[in-house]
Amino acid sequence: MKVAAENLALNIENIRNDFPILKRKVNGYPLVYFDNAATSQTPQQVIDAIVDYYSNYNANIHRGVHTLSQEATDKYEAARKTVQTHFNAAKSHEIIFTSGTTHGINLVASGFASLLEEGDEVIVSALEHHSNIVPWQMLCEKTGALLKVIPMNNEGELVVDKFQQLLSNKTKVVFLNHVSNALGTINPIEKIITEAHKVGAAVLIDGAQAAPHIKADVQALDVDFYVASAHKMCGPTGVGVLYGKEEWLNKLPPYQGGGEMIATVSFEKTTYADLPHKFEAGTPNICGGIAFGVALDYMNAIGFDKIASYEEELLHYGTEKLLKIEGLKIYGTSTKKTAVISFNIEGIHPYDIGTIVDKLGIAVRTGHHCAQPIMDFYKIPGTVRASFLFYNTKEEIDLLVEAVKRAKSMLQ
Amino acid sequence: MNIKEIQQDIIEEFSMFDDWMQRYEYMIELGKSLPLIDEKYKVDENLIKGCQSKVWVHAELEGDKLVFTADSDAIITKGIVAILIRAFSNQHPSDILEADTQFIDEIGLKEHLSPTRANGLVSMIKQLKMYAIAYQTQLD
């Protein structure tokens, strides 16, 4: 065991060297970056890929006959294959590049507008990010469908029994996150997908918070749609993925009109391009897509199993250390969690803690984390959220604990 | 003291500190001395929009002077409000309207706030000035 731990520590040192930003100072202190659930940092390999693209083969894709266009197209489509392999999609055209998770959700929600009728039901979970609530509310307003909510318990887990009671042959879509962004709870999506399919409902899983930690196998899950963002997985901002089963993507109408998504255009009739281009109107984020592929290669080279076990170690360590601070309460206490610790200290506003620890070089997120229903459930204005990724260390957690203690003594 | 003199005092006080941790400690102390709003005025219509933590401000005329009271659920925010109230409270509405807020930049407060908090600060100043406009018309 000890040897394994040492090996891991050695790897972490090498890994940290890949991330130039981790060497910077903030307010005179070495940066401790614990806002990974908002966005992850970028390794040199990904930065190099971005520089390489703009330095050597920047060109528009899919339609040029010239060499640069061909090179860019090849790399972009190779990235699609990398994403396909990563999520184990059956076909590469089931991988749609998006601008991010929110885009993917909106694309699907908007498509369902033509498939739903008044009186149909859609089910959401109580643990959702606003981006996975609002598009579906808009869909319900448009179609007259009814929005139902899977409730949560005090540990921040979904009450699956209640979900089964909500299901009926009226249920057309179920959408929930794989991992809660505010609390880190890993939801039992396998069970939810199986049960939803029994009544013929489609399931969209928002994988934004899960994808940096858990390698989802979309075929094994038998999920209909799975969405994620590159920028939480060591990739650049402004690019993400929508996986959709071919049959579902064929059923949905195009989301945006424009170039790339057409087969033929005349003023009388336009025929749409085949998948995936039907959903990729306009010039895509070419560089972003390519860099996303490099980010996935980077994470897979480290290995998601190793990442998961190391992050679990960080989670346990951080939880134990933080709980020693008197008056500190952790929200989201499920046994199945990613490395997220959402907490408050009795009598202190989370913003105040966030402000003080920032002055000590520590980046955490404070607020409602775009999940106001969860904050309402706990009757709190927000929390301080420390979210870890594989490049973080126990020493950094010690710095957080000391900073929180200092903030507490200042603020009480 | 007029607004300019008070602001000068605040600038001098803040220049005594070596680092921002000390300044925050001072703001927290100021927050504790904030003239608190009467509970009955802690209602939604007195909430300042654009702040991420809750901030309530109430204004009333005492003679020809406008007096502010306030509260917030976050202590550093209370400190920020306290600084503003110290500068603007108990002054004639027309003076409040004419006063600039250069002192905020001089103590470096804005650049040491997160963007959301800096926006909140702007909203607070705007709200104090709105009260001044409203009461100025009463005095006219």
Side-chain angles (χ1 to χ4, degrees):
Chain A
M1 268 319 280
K2 194 158 184 294
V3 177
E6 274 170 8
N7 281 342
L8 211 50
L10 193 70
N11 287 345
I12 294 307
E13 204 183 314
N14 288 343
I15 285 167
R16 286 182 69 83
N17 281 330
D18 288 335
F19 291 81
I21 209 169
L22 297 179
K23 292 187 181 71
R24 80 160 273 191
K25 291 196 165 187
V26 170
N27 295 318
Y29 294 86
L31 167 68
V32 173
Y33 187 76
F34 283 159
D35 195 18
N36 294 291
T39 201
S40 56
Q41 294 304 342
T42 317
Q44 192 62 49
Q45 289 83 339
V46 173
I47 299 169
D48 288 346
I50 294 167
V51 172
D52 182 40
Y53 171 79
Y54 284 109
S55 309
N56 294 311
Y57 62 99
N58 176 30
N60 213 330
I61 53 169
H62 293 146
R63 43 189 161 235
V65 292
H66 59 81
T67 304
L68 294 192
S69 173
Q70 198 51 53
E71 282 178 19
T73 305
D74 289 349
K75 292 250 191 181
Y76 190 67
E77 290 308 320
R80 194 190 305 277
K81 286 248 164 32
T82 304
V83 178
Q84 177 202 352
T85 310
H86 177 80
F87 289 102
N88 194 30
K91 295 156 188 154
S92 69
H93 60 253
E94 292 176 320
I95 298 296
I96 312 292
F97 279 121
T98 61
S99 68
T101 298
T102 300
H103 177 199
I105 294 168
N106 275 283
L107 189 159
V108 176
S110 147
F112 266 91
S114 62
L115 303 177
L116 293 186
E117 289 169 10
E118 199 173 332
D120 282 344
E121 293 178 358
V122 292
I123 299 179
V124 62
S125 97
L127 287 174
E128 296 312 303
H129 187 279
H130 295 164
S131 67
N132 205 19
I133 300 175
V134 182
W136 302 99
Q137 275 175 335
M138 287 161 61
L139 171 70
C140 287
E141 276 168 23
K142 213 183 284 175
T143 58
L146 222 64
L147 192 72
K148 302 218 160 176
V149 183
I150 314 169
M152 62 185 271
N153 65 20
N154 219 27
E155 282 70 45
E157 298 164 327
L158 293 179
V159 186
V160 179
D161 292 352
K162 288 273 162 55
F163 167 65
Q164 277 163 319
Q165 290 166 21
L166 294 177
L167 278 175
S168 74
N169 55 10
K170 286 183 187 163
T171 312
K172 292 295 180 293
V173 203
V174 177
F175 46 98
L176 75 156
N177 53 38
H178 193 168
V179 166
S180 152
N181 76 306
L183 307 177
T185 314
I186 302 172
N187 290 316
I189 59 166
E190 297 83 356
K191 171 113 180 132
I192 283 170
I193 293 165
T194 308
E195 295 301 318
H197 283 169
K198 282 182 189 165
V199 299
V203 181
L204 177 139
I205 299 293
D206 168 357
Q209 293 296 330
H213 314 284
I214 301 165
K215 195 169 171 166
D217 179 332
V218 292
Q219 289 189 77
L221 286 168
D222 194 26
V223 66
D224 303 294
F225 302 99
Y226 195 94
V227 287
S229 295
H231 73 94
K232 295 191 202 286
M233 310 178 71
C234 301
T237 56
V239 65
V241 57
L242 159 66
Y243 159 79
K245 276 185 192 161
E246 185 179 30
E247 51 170 306
W248 273 113
L249 291 177
N250 280 332
K251 264 186 230 174
L252 296 184
Y255 179 52
Q256 289 176 319
E260 286 267 348
M261 54 77 73
I262 47 87
T264 61
V265 174
S266 71
F267 283 106
E268 289 72 39
K269 172 80 184 154
T270 291
T271 50
Y272 302 125
D274 291 333
L275 293 173
H277 307 295
K278 172 182 159 188
F279 292 109
E280 293 183 357
T283 299
N285 185 345
I286 304 164
C287 175
I290 294 166
F292 185 14
V294 174
L296 287 178
D297 284 341
Y298 178 82
M299 290 189 76
N300 280 304
I302 297 170
F304 273 77
D305 289 346
K306 273 191 190 169
I307 287 174
S309 71
Y310 178 68
E311 287 177 354
E312 197 171 334
E313 214 178 299
L314 291 180
L315 174 66
H316 287 310
Y317 185 80
T319 304
E320 197 181 300
K321 287 272 171 166
L322 281 168
L323 279 176
K324 284 191 180 140
I325 299 173
E326 209 189 312
L328 187 141
K329 184 176 173 186
I330 292 177
Y331 297 89
T333 48
S334 173
T335 52
K336 292 196 177 81
K337 265 177 74 169
T338 54
V340 169
I341 305 179
S342 216
F343 65 92
N344 272 333
I345 295 179
E346 207 182 344
I348 304 180
H349 198 285
Y351 283 120
D352 288 333
I353 296 173
T355 306
I356 301 295
V357 301
D358 170 61
K359 291 286 158 234
L360 299 167
I362 299 173
V364 291
R365 176 86 188 264
T366 61
H368 53 59
H369 317 300
C370 296
Q372 277 177 348
I374 299 178
M375 303 302 133
D376 291 345
F377 175 88
Y378 288 119
K379 298 185 174 64
I380 49 176
T383 66
V384 181
R385 183 188 68 186
S387 50
F388 312 136
L389 207 60
F390 57 88
Y391 46 64
N392 290 127
T393 65
K394 288 183 183 174
E395 291 72 26
E396 288 181 306
I397 293 175
D398 290 340
L399 292 173
L400 170 71
V401 172
E402 285 314 306
V404 171
K405 281 184 186 163
R406 183 156 171 202
K408 184 185 175 225
S409 69
M410 280 173 75
L411 294 162
Q412 264 178 346
Chain B
M1 277 204 286
N2 66 31
I3 295 177
K4 198 85 211 152
E5 288 162 349
I6 299 171
Q7 292 185 350
Q8 200 50 48
D9 274 4
I10 296 172
I11 293 168
E12 277 165 27
E13 284 165 24
F14 268 79
S15 69
M16 291 188 309
F17 302 109
D18 299 331
D19 66 28
W20 267 91
M21 282 309 267
Q22 291 179 359
R23 290 190 182 98
Y24 269 106
E25 274 169 6
Y26 185 58
M27 273 198 282
I28 292 162
E29 283 311 308
L30 290 175
K32 289 173 183 164
S33 67
L34 175 72
L36 280 184
I37 189 169
D38 195 309
E39 281 298 318
K40 71 178 173 203
Y41 297 124
K42 262 169 98 167
V43 288
D44 283 356
E45 50 260 45
N46 285 332
L47 270 176
I48 295 184
K49 291 184 180 66
C51 294
Q52 294 244 343
S53 44
K54 287 186 171 172
V55 182
W56 299 266
V57 175
H58 173 70
E60 62 187 41
L61 272 180
E62 284 180 17
D64 63 351
K65 302 275 172 67
L66 195 54
V67 175
F68 294 109
T69 52
D71 200 1
S72 170
D73 57 351
I75 184 79
I76 293 171
T77 312
K78 264 169 106 163
I80 295 167
V81 191
I83 293 168
L84 294 179
I85 286 191
R86 189 168 142 209
F88 295 114
S89 191
N90 219 7
Q91 301 288 341
H92 195 279
S94 61
D95 293 337
I96 297 170
L97 281 173
E98 279 165 25
D100 67 33
T101 52
Q102 184 61 32
F103 80 112
I104 299 285
D105 295 326
E106 284 189 40
I107 61 177
L109 186 56
K110 221 185 256 173
E111 64 203 74
H112 280 274
L113 295 173
S114 65
T116 49
R117 268 207 157 129
N119 285 341
L121 176 64
V122 172
S123 305
M124 284 182 213
I125 294 169
K126 212 190 269 173
Q127 189 58 42
L128 299 186
K129 296 240 175 192
M130 293 293 275
Y131 276 123
I133 291 173
Y135 283 98
Q136 176 64 37
T137 47
Q138 275 192 25
L139 288 173
D140 284 344

